[in-house]
Amino acid sequence: MNNNKFLPRAVAAACLAGAALGAQAQSAGTWFGTIGATRIAPNTSSGTLSPPAAPNTQVDVGADTQPTLSIGRMITDNWSVEVPIGFGYKHSIKGAGAIDGVGTIATVKSLPITVFAQYRFLEPTAQFRPYAMLGLTYAYFYDEQGSATLNAVNPANPPGGTGVSVDSKFGFTPGVGVTARINDRWFVDLQYARSFLKTTTHLSSGQSIDTKLDPDVFRIAVGYLF
């Protein structure tokens, strides 16, 4: 073979192969997965506990951070779908308003299940690629536990203590994010979203309280394209 022709052809082939590999970076048909940590921080706006209760009896809900996974697929070069996979978050419910300062009156675990549609800006091979997203979230609440403090402050405390249940609800979750390429396969993902979510907490005494949670959701993760 003529070496004068072989060298340019080899260089051209290598460039084409590199371009094809690079195009796998968030291009149509690519799957991706991430592993990282997510923090859910409610922005609590509490109603008042129904009678019998002291006027202005309210609650505040604490934040939690847990490891999370996600799986997603690029539908086109710009549109993607992603599903975060969590393992449950534990939130403290503390007294507020008339019972501010009493401490934790209950705990509840949450498992938010969200499907995100995402629009990614710039080219698939861009070093930094911002995106906007909108998700539908089902917030599943479970393992609710009332505390001794709740029994002490609740004037309607029944024999055996006050039980607690929290309604699971749907909500919308808009957000933004950015991916930073490490190489053709690996990337770092930063994400912020807010879920618009309301729920009602019921006590076994027959009382209830409406709460707007609207949590901020922060995630940092390392991802892989395949």
Coordinates of all heavy atoms in Angstrom, one line a residue, residues 130-172:
P130 N -26.4 23.0 29.8 CA -27.5 23.3 30.7 C -28.8 22.8 30.2 O -29.0 22.5 29.0 CB -27.5 24.9 30.7 CG -27.0 25.3 29.4 CD -25.9 24.2 29.1
Y131 N -29.8 22.6 31.1 CA -31.0 22.0 30.7 C -32.2 22.5 31.6 O -31.9 22.9 32.7 CB -31.0 20.5 30.6 CG -30.7 19.8 31.9 CD1 -31.7 19.4 32.8 CD2 -29.4 19.4 32.2 CE1 -31.4 18.8 34.0 CE2 -29.0 18.7 33.3 CZ -30.0 18.4 34.2 OH -29.7 17.7 35.4
A132 N -33.4 22.5 31.1 CA -34.6 22.8 31.8 C -35.4 21.6 31.9 O -35.3 20.7 31.0 CB -35.3 24.0 31.2
M133 N -36.2 21.4 32.9 CA -37.0 20.2 33.0 C -38.3 20.4 33.8 O -38.5 21.4 34.5 CB -36.2 19.1 33.8 CG -35.8 19.5 35.2 SD -34.7 18.2 35.9 CE -34.5 18.9 37.6
L134 N -39.2 19.5 33.5 CA -40.5 19.6 34.2 C -40.9 18.1 34.5 O -40.9 17.3 33.6 CB -41.6 20.2 33.3 CG -43.0 20.3 33.9 CD1 -43.0 21.1 35.2 CD2 -44.0 20.8 32.9
G135 N -41.3 17.9 35.8 CA -41.6 16.5 36.2 C -42.9 16.4 36.9 O -43.5 17.4 37.4
L136 N -43.5 15.2 36.8 CA -44.7 14.9 37.6 C -44.2 14.0 38.7 O -43.6 12.9 38.5 CB -45.7 14.1 36.7 CG -47.0 13.7 37.4 CD1 -47.8 14.9 37.9 CD2 -47.8 12.8 36.5
T137 N -44.5 14.4 40.0 CA -44.1 13.7 41.2 C -45.2 13.1 41.9 O -46.3 13.8 42.1 CB -43.3 14.7 42.1 OG1 -42.2 15.2 41.4 CG2 -42.9 14.0 43.4
Y138 N -45.0 11.9 42.4 CA -46.0 11.3 43.3 C -45.2 11.1 44.6 O -44.2 10.4 44.7 CB -46.5 9.9 42.9 CG -47.4 9.3 43.8 CD1 -48.7 9.8 44.1 CD2 -47.1 8.1 44.5 CE1 -49.6 9.2 45.0 CE2 -48.0 7.6 45.4 CZ -49.2 8.1 45.6 OH -50.1 7.5 46.5
A139 N -45.6 11.9 45.7 CA -44.9 11.9 46.9 C -45.6 10.8 47.8 O -46.7 11.1 48.3 CB -44.9 13.2 47.6
Y140 N -44.9 9.7 48.1 CA -45.5 8.6 48.9 C -45.0 8.8 50.3 O -43.7 8.8 50.5 CB -45.1 7.3 48.3 CG -45.5 6.1 49.1 CD1 -46.9 5.8 49.4 CD2 -44.5 5.3 49.7 CE1 -47.2 4.7 50.2 CE2 -44.9 4.2 50.5 CZ -46.2 3.9 50.7 OH -46.6 2.9 51.5
F141 N -45.9 9.0 51.3 CA -45.5 9.1 52.7 C -45.8 7.8 53.4 O -46.9 7.2 53.2 CB -46.2 10.3 53.3 CG -45.8 11.6 52.7 CD1 -46.7 12.2 51.8 CD2 -44.6 12.2 53.0 CE1 -46.4 13.5 51.2 CE2 -44.3 13.5 52.5 CZ -45.1 14.1 51.6
Y142 N -44.9 7.4 54.3 CA -45.1 6.1 55.0 C -44.3 6.2 56.3 O -43.5 7.1 56.6 CB -44.6 5.0 54.1 CG -43.1 4.9 53.8 CD1 -42.3 4.1 54.5 CD2 -42.6 5.8 52.9 CE1 -40.9 4.1 54.2 CE2 -41.3 5.8 52.6 CZ -40.4 4.9 53.2 OH -39.1 4.9 53.0
D143 N -44.6 5.1 57.1 CA -43.9 4.9 58.4 C -44.0 6.2 59.3 O -43.0 6.6 59.9 CB -42.4 4.6 58.2 CG -41.8 3.9 59.4 OD1 -42.5 3.5 60.3 OD2 -40.5 3.9 59.5
E144 N -45.1 6.8 59.4 CA -45.4 7.9 60.3 C -45.3 7.5 61.7 O -45.9 6.4 62.1 CB -46.7 8.6 60.0 CG -46.9 9.0 58.5 CD -47.6 8.0 57.6 OE1 -47.4 6.8 57.9 OE2 -48.3 8.4 56.7
Q145 N -44.7 8.3 62.6 CA -44.5 8.0 64.0 C -44.8 9.2 64.8 O -44.1 10.2 64.7 CB -43.1 7.4 64.3 CG -42.8 6.1 63.5 CD -43.5 4.9 64.0 OE1 -43.9 4.8 65.2 NE2 -43.6 3.9 63.2
G146 N -45.8 9.2 65.7 CA -46.0 10.3 66.6 C -45.0 10.1 67.8 O -44.6 9.0 68.1
S147 N -44.7 11.2 68.5 CA -43.7 11.2 69.6 C -44.4 11.4 70.9 O -45.6 11.8 71.0 CB -42.7 12.3 69.4 OG -43.2 13.6 69.6
A148 N -43.7 11.2 72.0 CA -44.2 11.5 73.3 C -44.6 12.9 73.5 O -45.5 13.3 74.2 CB -43.2 11.1 74.4
T149 N -43.8 13.8 72.8 CA -44.2 15.2 72.8 C -45.5 15.5 72.2 O -46.3 16.3 72.8 CB -43.1 16.0 72.1 OG1 -41.8 15.8 72.7 CG2 -43.4 17.5 72.1
L150 N -45.9 14.8 71.1 CA -47.2 15.0 70.5 C -48.3 14.6 71.5 O -49.3 15.3 71.7 CB -47.3 14.2 69.2 CG -48.7 14.2 68.6 CD1 -49.1 15.6 68.2 CD2 -48.7 13.2 67.4
N151 N -48.1 13.5 72.2 CA -49.0 13.0 73.2 C -49.2 14.1 74.3 O -50.3 14.3 74.8 CB -48.6 11.7 73.8 CG -48.5 10.6 72.7 OD1 -49.2 10.6 71.7 ND2 -47.7 9.6 73.0
A152 N -48.1 14.7 74.6 CA -48.1 15.7 75.8 C -48.9 17.0 75.4 O -49.6 17.5 76.2 CB -46.7 16.0 76.2
V153 N -48.7 17.4 74.1 CA -49.2 18.7 73.8 C -50.6 18.6 73.1 O -51.3 19.6 73.0 CB -48.3 19.5 72.8 CG1 -46.9 19.7 73.4 CG2 -48.2 18.7 71.4
N154 N -51.0 17.4 72.8 CA -52.4 17.3 72.1 C -53.4 17.1 73.2 O -53.5 16.1 73.9 CB -52.3 16.0 71.2 CG -53.6 15.9 70.4 OD1 -54.5 16.8 70.4 ND2 -53.8 14.7 69.8
P155 N -54.3 18.1 73.3 CA -55.4 18.0 74.3 C -56.4 16.8 74.0 O -57.1 16.4 75.0 CB -56.1 19.3 74.2 CG -55.8 19.9 72.9 CD -54.4 19.3 72.5
A156 N -56.4 16.3 72.8 CA -57.3 15.2 72.5 C -56.6 13.9 72.4 O -57.1 13.0 71.7 CB -58.0 15.5 71.1
N157 N -55.4 13.8 73.1 CA -54.6 12.6 73.0 C -55.4 11.4 73.4 O -55.9 11.3 74.6 CB -53.4 12.7 73.9 CG -52.5 11.5 73.8 OD1 -52.1 11.1 72.7 ND2 -52.0 11.0 74.9
P158 N -55.6 10.4 72.6 CA -56.4 9.2 72.9 C -55.6 8.2 73.8 O -54.3 8.3 73.8 CB -56.8 8.6 71.6 CG -55.7 9.0 70.7 CD -55.2 10.3 71.2
P159 N -56.2 7.2 74.4 CA -55.5 6.2 75.1 C -54.5 5.5 74.2 O -54.9 5.1 73.1 CB -56.6 5.3 75.7 CG -57.8 6.1 75.7 CD -57.7 7.1 74.6
G160 N -53.3 5.3 74.6 CA -52.3 4.6 73.8 C -51.5 5.5 73.0 O -50.6 5.1 72.3
G161 N -51.8 6.8 73.0 CA -51.0 7.8 72.2 C -51.7 8.2 70.9 O -52.6 7.5 70.4
T162 N -51.2 9.3 70.3 CA -51.8 9.8 69.1 C -51.1 9.2 67.9 O -49.9 9.4 67.8 CB -51.7 11.4 69.1 OG1 -52.3 11.9 70.2 CG2 -52.3 11.9 67.8
G163 N -51.9 8.6 67.0 CA -51.3 8.1 65.8 C -51.3 9.2 64.7 O -52.1 10.1 64.8
V164 N -50.4 9.0 63.7 CA -50.3 10.0 62.7 C -50.3 9.3 61.3 O -49.7 8.2 61.1 CB -48.9 10.8 62.8 CG1 -48.7 11.8 61.7 CG2 -48.8 11.4 64.2
S165 N -51.0 10.0 60.3 CA -50.9 9.5 58.9 C -50.8 10.7 58.0 O -51.4 11.8 58.3 CB -52.1 8.6 58.6 OG -53.3 9.4 58.6
V166 N -50.1 10.6 56.9 CA -49.9 11.7 56.0 C -50.3 11.3 54.6 O -49.9 10.2 54.1 CB -48.4 12.2 56.0 CG1 -48.2 13.3 55.0 CG2 -47.9 12.6 57.4
D167 N -51.2 12.1 54.0 CA -51.7 11.7 52.7 C -50.6 11.8 51.6 O -49.9 12.8 51.5 CB -52.8 12.7 52.3 CG -54.1 12.5 53.1 OD1 -54.2 11.5 53.8 OD2 -54.9 13.4 53.1
S168 N -50.5 10.8 50.8 CA -49.6 10.8 49.6 C -50.3 11.6 48.5 O -51.5 11.5 48.3 CB -49.3 9.4 49.1 OG -48.7 8.6 50.1
K169 N -49.5 12.4 47.8 CA -50.1 13.4 46.8 C -49.2 13.5 45.6 O -48.0 13.2 45.6 CB -50.2 14.8 47.5 CG -51.1 14.9 48.6 CD -52.6 14.9 48.2 CE -53.6 15.2 49.3 NZ -55.0 15.2 48.8
F170 N -49.9 13.9 44.5 CA -49.2 14.3 43.3 C -48.8 15.8 43.3 O -49.5 16.6 43.9 CB -50.1 14.0 42.0 CG -50.1 12.6 41.6 CD1 -51.2 11.8 42.0 CD2 -49.1 12.1 40.8 CE1 -51.3 10.5 41.6 CE2 -49.2 10.7 40.4 CZ -50.3 9.9 40.8
G171 N -47.7 16.1 42.6 CA -47.3 17.5 42.4 C -46.5 17.7 41.2 O -46.0 16.7 40.6
F172 N -46.3 18.9 40.7 CA -45.4 19.3 39.6 C -44.1 19.7 40.1 O -44.0 20.4 41.1 CB -46.1 20.3 38.7 CG -47.3 19.8 37.9 CD1 -48.5 20.1 38.3 CD2 -47.1 19.1 36.8 CE1 -49.6 19.7 37.6 CE2 -48.1 18.6 36.1 CZ -49.4 18.9 36.5

